[in-house]
Amino acid sequence: MPYHRYRPYQERVHVPVPADQRRSWPEARIERAPLWVPVDLRDGNQALAEPMDTGRKRRFFDLLVSMGFKEIEVGYPSASRTDFDFVRHLARRGTGGDDVTVVVFTPAKPELIDRTFESIEGLPRAVVHLYIPTSPVWRDVVLGRSRAEVYEVVKEAAAHMARLADARPDADIRFQFAPETFNLTEPDFVLEVCDGLTELWDASPDRPVTHNLPATVEIATPNVYADQIEYLHRNLARRDSVILSVHPHNDRGTGVACAELAVLAGAQRVEGCLFGNGERTGNVDLVTLALNLYAQGVDPMIDLSDIDAVREVVEHCNRLPVHPRHPYAGDLVHTAFSGTHQDAISKGFAQHARRAAELGVPEREAPWDVPYLPVDPADIGRTYEAVIRVNSQSGKGGMAYLLRTRHGLDLPQGMRPDFSRVVQEATDDSGQEATAKELYELFRATYVAPGQDGEVALCSWTTDRAPDGAHRFVCTLQVGERAGDFEGVGNGPLSAFADALAAAGIGVDILDYAEHAMGEGGGSEAAAYARCRVGDVVRWGAGLDTSVLTASVQAVLAAVNRAGAAG
């Protein structure tokens, strides 16, 4: 591959380091969420094969308001009739929130700025976002202008915006500037232009200007972007009158890291899209950023408690699916197929329940520390049903977890490896995932059915206890074509049943036994599990019945029939 055609970032842009040679961002900590600004309706929308109409845009906008976003970039009204009409729709119908500010996007051209201001007529508050490409390659190839000429175009556009805003004293119109391709632009030029606009727009702490510094096309590792942001953060004039904003894209697949490091470096505002939609490889993903903070114990300041509902709206409006491995929101992101993962998660859930009980708080309130799950799926509206799923790669812990949580079957530890082999054989043959229902049906067919329909059958039986404490088991057994009445005695009903089987010529040793109720209340079904040696063969069996004794007898009989079939 001709790698020599491409230049490293240090040959394309100079990135100043602090005068004292010390960066502050590596030691910084994110302790509060930045101002999130979704650009799905503008930047995300212009990247769609089928851009949203007003109906889809309104549905998306209402979702963003309901989630708690306070600034929302809604369109590029001078670029298309659809975008213009949507801004007018918001002006007529309202934004649905008194504290919601609409952001509109415009290039540095007077006639397009006029069109943009025309679109926001009647909105009580708005941010007009002015942009122009500033890097050398864009200046040379796209604009055909020098640094000085680009700066002059921007100043004229900014002055024109100020005049139009002054003509509307009844509206709260603020300004935003973006030097597009900031990360490829000479830092001193960015500083010169931004400081000039801060002064021209007479920014103040109670009426700040937003300077938005995009990584329009990623060119370097995220630490380089952090250095660029820190340089502006340290050197911008009237810093307390500037909201420093970033707009990372994802060309190198590091948009989230760029945004997080930029916030450490001094950025106060982040523009991006829900689930990362956008041109090329997309804008930075606001859902991932917000939930990354949440997983660190920081309030993300937006509501993602029903992430599936959020995803449904976004997929509908964008006509694009969210990837099943998307962080936090994908169908498979909270799912474990691997046996070791399943075992760790299952143990983690059990430990979490014990800790909550010890603290005397509901499980939803207890501190979260479960292996492989950085956040509690329930916190974002997910159920535990999809956390553990089973295929040929899965282990005994996952299968046992699903049977317990979905069907009330708490398999003994010693039985789990046995059932794991049964499931693995079935999934190897099918090549498909096994659902909880299919696991239950496989369990019944393997361990329960042989006790109800096998070579050895109980036609009838009774048990009683003698005055001396001994148990007596009387039964009619069908063994193949032969039927007969048999009796056994033991220190319990099952040992008496084993003695009756011995009288019929079937030697049985009960090696392990467990039982439990499958639900609450006297009418709930009971499960019994028995591991028996019949001759040289050892097999597990299970029984299910409202009577614990009946279930236990069925479990022993199932083990006998499974051993006989194996022999």
Side-chain angles (χ1 to χ4, degrees), residues 337 342 384-391 398-409 411 419 423 427 432-444:
F337 288 102
Q342 291 174 344
Y384 294 130
E385 293 177 2
V387 171
I388 290 178
R389 291 164 62 175
V390 169
N391 62 15
M399 301 162 198
Y401 173 85
L402 287 177
L403 286 178
R404 184 178 71 252
T405 58
R406 296 295 297 277
H407 298 287
L409 291 171
L411 271 60
F419 185 47
V423 174
T427 52
Q432 297 178 342
E433 177 185 352
T435 66
K437 180 181 178 182
E438 289 167 341
L439 287 175
Y440 179 68
E441 291 171 349
L442 184 60
F443 175 83
R444 287 190 64 107

Side-chain angles (χ1 to χ4, degrees), residues 273-359:
C273 289
L274 301 187
F275 307 117
N277 177 46
E279 292 180 286
R280 304 180 309 282
T281 57
N283 290 279
V284 71
D285 183 336
L286 294 186
V287 171
T288 298
L289 284 171
L291 288 175
N292 281 354
L293 288 185
Y294 182 77
Q296 294 293 311
V298 177
D299 184 353
M301 302 301 290
I302 53 173
D303 184 2
L304 289 163
S305 59
D306 190 352
I307 203 164
D308 287 337
V310 172
R311 190 182 72 176
E312 189 276 326
V313 173
V314 174
E315 289 181 328
H316 168 79
C317 294
N318 284 344
R319 298 180 174 92
L320 289 174
V322 171
H323 196 282
R325 292 293 183 191
H326 180 283
Y328 303 105
D331 278 337
L332 298 177
V333 72
H334 300 293
T335 299
F337 288 102
S338 161
T340 55
H341 289 208
Q342 291 174 344
D343 182 61
I345 291 170
S346 181
K347 289 176 179 175
F349 280 148
Q351 173 63 23
H352 180 73
R354 288 193 295 270
R355 186 183 300 117
E358 291 168 0
L359 295 172

